[in-house]
Amino acid sequence: MFRLVFWLAAGSVLTGCVTQKTAVRPLETVVDQAALEAGDLRIAASALQSGDVQVARSLYKDLARSHPDVPAVWQGLGDSYFLAGEFEAAQATYAKAQEIAPTLLAPQLAQARVLVRLRQLDQARARFQEILAQDPDQPVALAGLGVVYDLSGQPELAQQTYRKGLTAHPGDEALRTNLGLSLALTGKPREAINVLLGNAGVAGSLPQRRDNLALAYGVMGREDAAEDILLSYQPRGLVQDNLEFYRYLRQQLGQPGPEPTPTAKTAKR
């Protein structure tokens, strides 16, 4: 069955484009991390990105014992816990990375994301707001804050937050994807479709964006368009389950029924 997920990337592995604010560290540590990133750390990160979470965790644990002062090691280990759903362990490990480098952005964002997953929304909101107080246009923090508002039942604030982020970062996938889903779930499917399509359509976009576009079409009653999208990457049985879910959601949101499929007009005699 279709899952409603506001997209929020996990850890540094999935947010490599985040600009880091790094603390001033001893030259030996900088050189040590540079050497690691060219070797063992890259291997561990590659394992994590390919889905070998247990292998990655083992590698990061070895690195944590041999290089305990390198924050990227603890960040990667935290990512391995996060992706395995071990959120408390992830939180403690991200905190270790931040302890080593207090101004590093990645562990701050990661700890806020853990709080979202644990549904500790007040704490998550405070964390994201602290980051945004220093960098008001930080896109990952804006996406995260929007998710907190959506999950707290404040979709108007969520949508304002996503739009603010898109004004500064119009190409950001997470902001666009989450805004589209938020609009669809508040009974604005046509606007959601326009947001999700953007200027470049959905070719090459995140899977979540395609999912949300199909949902928006389904909520609007365009089951034909939703089905076309879903059939491009789902088996027919799952597609039918999702279409049934869209019908249920459409009813809950008070949206009109499916739009009739256009048929050829009968010629007049």
Side-chain angles (χ1 to χ4, degrees):
M1 182 62 69
F2 198 97
R3 294 181 300 165
L4 300 179
V5 178
F6 289 95
W7 191 77
L8 192 54
S12 61
V13 168
L14 302 181
T15 57
C17 62
V18 174
T19 300
Q20 303 294 346
K21 295 181 179 179
T22 54
V24 177
R25 290 177 282 143
L27 179 61
E28 303 80 36
T29 302
V30 174
V31 172
D32 195 24
Q33 179 161 340
L36 277 177
E37 288 174 348
D40 293 343
L41 197 55
R42 178 179 293 180
I43 294 171
S46 178
L48 196 59
Q49 288 175 325
S50 64
D52 295 328
V53 176
Q54 295 303 320
V55 171
R57 180 183 301 180
S58 177
L59 292 170
Y60 280 122
K61 282 185 174 180
D62 288 343
L63 289 171
R65 285 188 288 268
S66 60
H67 300 82
D69 295 326
V70 176
V73 170
W74 295 100
Q75 181 75 24
L77 182 57
D79 291 344
S80 73
Y81 284 124
F82 187 97
L83 293 177
E86 299 177 41
F87 300 125
E88 290 83 359
Q91 189 76 305
T93 311
Y94 291 138
K96 178 66 175 179
Q98 187 175 359
E99 180 184 337
I100 297 169
T103 60
L104 196 64
L105 182 58
Q108 297 178 49
L109 289 168
Q111 289 178 81
R113 282 189 293 268
V114 171
L115 291 170
V116 173
R117 288 298 183 92
L118 294 174
R119 291 299 189 267
Q120 297 176 13
L121 300 180
D122 289 342
Q123 295 179 49
R125 180 173 59 250
R127 289 262 188 167
F128 284 125
Q129 288 173 337
E130 287 175 8
I131 295 169
L132 291 168
Q134 301 299 317
D135 185 358
D137 291 329
Q138 213 297 316
V140 179
L142 286 168
L145 182 59
V147 170
V148 170
Y149 285 136
D150 265 319
L151 295 177
S152 300
Q154 300 173 284
E156 295 83 5
L157 283 176
Q159 291 161 23
Q160 290 172 18
T161 304
Y162 299 137
R163 291 185 193 281
K164 176 184 176 183
L166 284 170
T167 299
H169 307 278
D172 190 274
E173 282 279 281
L175 289 164
R176 186 170 299 279
T177 296
N178 287 351
L179 175 57
L181 179 57
S182 183
L183 289 167
L185 294 178
T186 50
K188 304 171 187 174
R190 190 174 299 278
E191 186 178 358
I193 291 165
N194 291 336
V195 166
L196 290 165
L197 287 174
N199 294 325
V202 293
S205 63
L206 291 169
Q208 293 88 344
R209 188 168 162 191
R210 295 199 304 270
D211 289 343
N212 293 350
L213 181 60
L215 181 143
Y217 276 123
V219 170
M220 194 171 73
R222 284 290 310 280
E223 291 190 4
D224 56 334
E227 185 174 22
D228 285 345
I229 294 170
L230 296 173
L231 282 173
S232 68
Y233 61 98
Q234 289 184 2
R236 185 168 294 277
L238 184 56
V239 169
Q240 293 306 312
D241 287 343
N242 284 327
L243 292 176
E244 184 64 31
F245 174 69
Y246 300 158
R247 294 176 193 123
Y248 166 79
L249 187 59
R250 191 164 59 238
Q251 183 179 33
Q252 295 300 307
L253 294 172
Q255 296 292 305
E259 295 183 3
T261 303
T263 56
K265 292 183 179 179
T266 305
K268 293 183 179 180
R269 298 192 177 188

